[in-house]
Amino acid sequence: MIKLTVNGRAHEADVEGEMPLLWVLRDVLDIKGPKFGCGIAQCGACTVLLDGAPVRSCSVPVAAIAGKKVTTVEGLEVNGHLHPVQQAWLDHEVPQCGYCQGGQMLTAVALLRHNPKPSDADIDAAMTNICRCGTYARIRTAVHAAAASSQSKRA
Amino acid sequence: MTLTVNRARRTFLKGSAAATGLVVGFSLPEAGAQTGMPGVTGPEINAWVVVRPDNVIIIRYARSEMGQGSMTSAAMLVAEELDCAWKQVKVEYVSVNEHVKRNRIWGSMAAVGSQTIRFSQDYLRKGGATARLMLIQAAAQRWSVSATECTASAGVIHHAASKRSLSYGEVAVAASLLPQPKEVTLKDPKTWTLAGTSVKRVDIPDTVHGRQRYGIDTQLPGMLYAAVAQCPVFGGTVKSFDAAPVQGRRGIKRVFTIDSGKALIVVADNWWRAKEALKLVPVEWDVGANGAVSSESIATFLRAGLNAPSAPTALRRGDLEQAMASSSKQIEAEYYTPYLSHAALEPMNCTALINGSEVDVWCSTQNGEGTLATAAAAAGVPLTQVQVHRSQVGGGFGRRGGSQDFTRIGVLVAKEMPGVPVKTVWTREEDTQHDFYRPVAMYRLKAGLDASGKPVAFRARLTSPSLLTTLLKLPLKDGIDGPAVEGFNEFPYEIANVHNDWAQRDTHVPVGFWRTVGWSQNPFARECFIDEMAIAAGRDPYEYRRSLLAGEKRPLAILDAVAKAADWTKPLPAGVFRGIAVTEPYGSYTAAVVEISLNDKGELKVHRVVQGIDCGYVVNPDNITAQLQGSVVFALTAITQGEITIKDGRVEQSNFHDYPLLRMPEMPKVEVVIAPTGGFWGGVGEPAQAPLAPALCNAIFAASGKRLRSLPLSRHGIKLVKA
Ligand code: FES
Ligand code: FES
């Protein structure tokens, strides 16, 4: 039995330790925010935060995350309040099909957490997830907007 | 849920698409106070509009949403004519099953060919306008006044003389019982207040909240999961397999083949177990006759198409041979575009449940009707026995419309497991290697110029596989596959003598509709060659095009608009070069200017893309901008690195490491020019991609003097880097 905490809730899963976290979340715990895109850590559709750091859950065996906290896109909203990144994604109409966007938003959340005012180069370096629909221009705009709004809140 | 709707019907409206033969007819039902849609409560004013007593207005959407934004734009057109407040509106998918039972009342369900707005706008607007008339009529009757004395705005009907008003919700039931008006007058688009403004897409909040559901997210009680392996060589079958190595393995339920051995299936209690087990099942394939086919053998085969003495004519005017012979200068060139995979980020998948003769299917589809028909055929049941449960589509790009292989496989798997819902999911490798690819194509172009450099003769031979015959099993008209010759069958340039033809060369590699279809590849040849003609004539490529488009108002207008926005006549910084192209795809007109630099290491920087569209009427401008931005990414991926190659009869690429897609750092600066001239309805989702490949390659010529006549650029040692 593997124990894991997802979005603040404790879960148990009776699965093989080598089963990737992605499939434990999706098929065992019915948490569908993390998406399957490639299965080989290329696309980032499966991104979740592990103790706040983005990981590609398709390539993380569930046994490796014991004691760590998992955040999926479903966990970004707290008490009915959208995360500034989500608000920026709404304001700038970032998504097209939307399939990659949970992973994109989580990656942006992690970026802003350790770099509250990222430059374009920082965004290029951190936002490595694939968007087949090509929303990169709006992702960039929204990351800057989320940074600005978080800063104005902090000020 | 079954619901019988059995009302008298009469033909009421004809979709504009009827003329094209894509929609066979359109009718509205006689009204009834009951909604016909399973799960919807509220009076149905007509097929498109349900007005609930609490003033929530449900506008139905018949096609699919895959990020192209049409779900919102289509509803905007209904709401514009309905004169309701946008905040009252909820958009709901039409039930595909109900659509079949109501004799295709909602028209085409296909979100393909950039058609949703241009082919539905007439009946959508009439749907809104007739509902509005009926709601006004119901209020007038309540007040015992003439409807002509009443007005409506923001979902409220007013009678000015008596200062009375009623909301749409208050008269909805009465309105739903009225007969449908026979005639409606639609608004002049100049008077629109909602359509033409940037409205936020209705599907985005679910995405941002993380609650958007795609076909792959289907979850049902007792559901099992299937992994699929088709023969790596297209058309091959399973000769033998041995399930022993996975029998008794945790979670594995069954191992079997479907479709006369076309695919091997493992069913398990979660998908990871199924796909891991599938790798362990030894299988011997009968690859059939195509095990030796390669990209090289296909190229040889296509070359024979280029060299064929004759081929069906796509366009002929004047006397080509005579004009070519008497021209003072001739130039000739050959172009090539490769197979491409769709690579939608949501891999192919289908969940199906077969209970006796009842079939339920859940999947991401661009064409609900196509899915329903495919499921019915695969299950062997009548159409009315199938329910298709639609969801947001995690990328379509043509993969999930005409090619419904995922539905067929999903249903055939479920057929083996009666009473059990089974979700079949493709690995990315399976998805990449069993796509319906953008066809490979070769082009031979020749032009004859007079002494002044003006072209007097233009000859194009195209050769490629046919989508229509191989995928859709449709007969060709006069031997021509329309999508294959896009951009060459209608040809805007004023050249008196033209002969364009197409030699069909089908291979064993399945082909399908890939975003922008023929327009995604043919302009590369056409518009680069126009550049070659301009260079041969010693003229500026923009000015040369202008001189040949003098009689073509709209292509000329968008070309001018884009050239102006891109400061074509002004000098560029040292080391930066630009190229231009213009196209006329899907009822719209698009042009692009691309600015680049290229160093001797082959590092290509795209500094600026200016691209413009004239789509006639503009419904949701910000969504058009988004589609144009996305088109640049889609196009640049294909131009710089997109290529599916064949070896030993199979696809060599398998996942995003060897079929790479553009990422954030390579995203260039994009400026969008929306320059609508009105008076027509053009597409948006695809047209913007068309001029990008030639504009970019024309810029490379300007930079390097090298005319690159085959794609992708990686073949020429060129790599896109951050600008
Ligand atoms: S599915 Fe994990 S990175 Fe693509
Ligand atoms: S929005 Fe479709 S893949 Fe990113």
Side-chain angles (χ1 to χ4, degrees), chain A residues 14 16 20 26-27 32 35 37-38 42 77 86 91 93 95-98 124 128 132 136 138, chain B residues 66 200-201 208-209 214 216-217 219 250 271-273 342 392 428 622 626 629 655 662-663 722:
Chain A
D14 178 15
E16 300 86 322
R26 287 183 56 82
D27 285 0
K32 296 292 198 284
K35 303 296 188 209
C38 67
Q42 276 282 327
E77 192 175 338
Q86 289 176 300
D91 293 345
E93 298 264 290
Q96 288 191 25
C97 83
D124 284 338
T128 58
R132 180 55 162 155
Y136 300 119
R138 289 177 187 233
Chain B
M66 49 197 172
K200 294 214 178 273
R201 270 180 33 216
V208 169
H209 283 89
Y214 303 82
I216 202 169
D217 298 326
Q219 189 72 44
R250 188 169 178 193
W271 186 71
W272 177 75
R273 286 176 184 150
H342 294 81
Q392 183 93 350
R428 173 57 57 189
D622 185 56
Q629 292 168 328
N655 203 322
L662 200 84
R663 294 177 197 255
K722 184 174 171 52

Side-chain angles (χ1 to χ4, degrees), chain B residues 629-646:
Chain B
Q629 292 168 328
S631 293
V632 171
V633 177
F634 209 83
L636 277 182
T637 294
I639 298 163
T640 59
Q641 53 203 6
E643 181 169 30
I644 288 289
T645 55
I646 307 296

Side-chain angles (χ1 to χ4, degrees), chain A residues 22-23 35-47 55-59 129, chain B residues 345 655-656:
Chain A
L22 173 65
W23 297 108
K35 303 296 188 209
F36 169 52
C38 67
I40 59 165
Q42 276 282 327
C43 73
C46 63
T47 301
V55 296
R56 296 191 167 169
S57 65
C58 69
S59 303
N129 292 6
Chain B
L345 204 54
N655 203 322
F656 298 140

